[in-house]
Amino acid sequence: MANSGGSPRGPYRSGIKRREQIVNAAAKAFSAHGYDGASMRQIAADVGVSPAALLRHFQDKEDLLAAVLEWWARETAALGTGERTGLRGFNDLRALMRYHVEHRGLLELFIRLTGESSNEKHPARAFIQQRYGKIVDMLAERLISVAQAGEIPPITHDQAESEIRALCATMDGLEIQWLLDPTVDLVALFDQHLDHTLDRWGQGRYMPRTSSGSPPDRWATRHGPGASSD
């Protein structure tokens, strides 16, 4: 029964705390050893419980991975999506780089699982694909709205998606370089790149189409007729 303040007490509260400890230990194990290399037995030992006790909280390693991904999503949900609007809103991505420098383990977990998810059978593949898809769609929509507001010259949905994918690829690449060599100034390099990108967008110097002619707009294909501004 909850106390008068509404917070959990007794065994229930203890169970929540233990579950959080297991998820934190699993996140570190998956980051250090990968999904296949991490051992449920070792995760249990890191928390100070028996393997049987761990299985009372999570039925198997895939169930534990799902909990880790949910935790990671909650931790990073608001990053890069601050309250600023318009073109200035992209400056919130700078805070994301600073957060990664301060939370190296979280970044290592994401990079490790993203690389492993190139395997079609990896249990995190669907989550990583959906995560990337949502980020690209959200930022592309923001870029299009900036153009519609007149802050930058007109841009098509296809161009916006290409710009955002290139921006995300730069972020990922710089993060990997920093993980490999901590002397790389992740924050400063990204700041420089974003400054250049925002200036380029302001001048309407967008990335060219990836092929000649007039290929189908991928945005319209995903979002339905009328979605493209071509």
Side-chain angles (χ1 to χ4, degrees):
M1 179 177 179
N3 61 17
S4 58
S7 60
R9 300 178 61 179
Y12 179 64
R13 182 175 183 178
S14 177
I16 292 176
K17 183 176 181 180
R18 178 65 74 194
R19 184 180 175 91
E20 291 175 347
Q21 291 172 338
I22 294 172
V23 169
N24 287 333
K28 293 177 181 178
F30 292 150
S31 173
H33 307 294
Y35 176 75
D36 290 333
S39 161
M40 292 286 277
R41 183 177 295 277
Q42 184 58 52
I43 292 171
D46 291 342
V47 179
V49 300
S50 68
L54 188 151
L55 291 175
R56 286 199 291 271
H57 293 276
F58 301 97
Q59 62 182 6
D60 52 31
K61 188 159 71 169
E62 189 168 333
D63 187 32
L64 180 53
L65 175 63
V68 169
L69 293 175
E70 290 173 3
W71 165 78
W72 178 80
R74 289 194 303 271
E75 288 290 309
T76 60
L79 298 176
T81 57
E83 296 181 354
R84 286 183 287 191
T85 59
L87 195 61
R88 293 188 308 162
F90 284 93
N91 285 309
D92 292 326
L93 295 174
R94 303 178 197 271
L96 179 60
M97 295 295 103
R98 291 193 294 271
Y99 181 89
H100 285 159
V101 170
E102 296 167 0
H103 300 81
R104 181 187 175 97
L106 202 61
L107 178 60
E108 288 178 330
L109 172 65
F110 172 73
I111 295 297
R112 183 82 182 231
L113 291 178
T114 298
E116 291 183 348
S117 293
S118 61
N119 182 341
E120 294 182 356
K121 296 182 180 180
H122 196 283
R125 182 178 175 87
F127 175 90
I128 297 296
Q129 286 180 320
Q130 292 170 8
R131 178 79 176 181
Y132 263 109
K134 288 179 180 178
I135 291 173
V136 169
D137 281 355
M138 177 192 68
L139 294 179
E141 288 175 352
R142 176 182 293 182
L143 184 56
I144 291 166
S145 69
V146 168
Q148 291 173 340
E151 287 192 62
I152 61 175
I155 186 171
T156 68
H157 291 93
D158 206 46
Q159 287 174 317
E161 182 178 336
S162 294
E163 289 286 348
I164 296 305
R165 288 194 181 279
L167 180 60
C168 289
T170 299
M171 294 170 68
D172 291 344
L174 288 174
E175 289 163 354
I176 291 173
Q177 291 184 51
W178 176 71
L179 288 175
L180 293 172
D181 180 3
T183 65
V184 171
D185 194 334
L186 172 60
V187 173
L189 285 173
F190 179 71
D191 280 347
Q192 293 172 14
H193 178 77
L194 186 60
D195 287 342
H196 174 74
T197 298
L198 296 179
D199 181 64
R200 182 169 56 79
W201 288 350
Q203 298 176 41
R205 294 189 292 111
Y206 305 128
M207 296 178 62
R209 288 186 180 276
T210 55
S211 60
S212 60
S214 300
D217 194 314
R218 291 186 297 276
W219 184 285
T221 300
R222 286 204 305 273
H223 296 273
S228 174
S229 62
D230 279 13

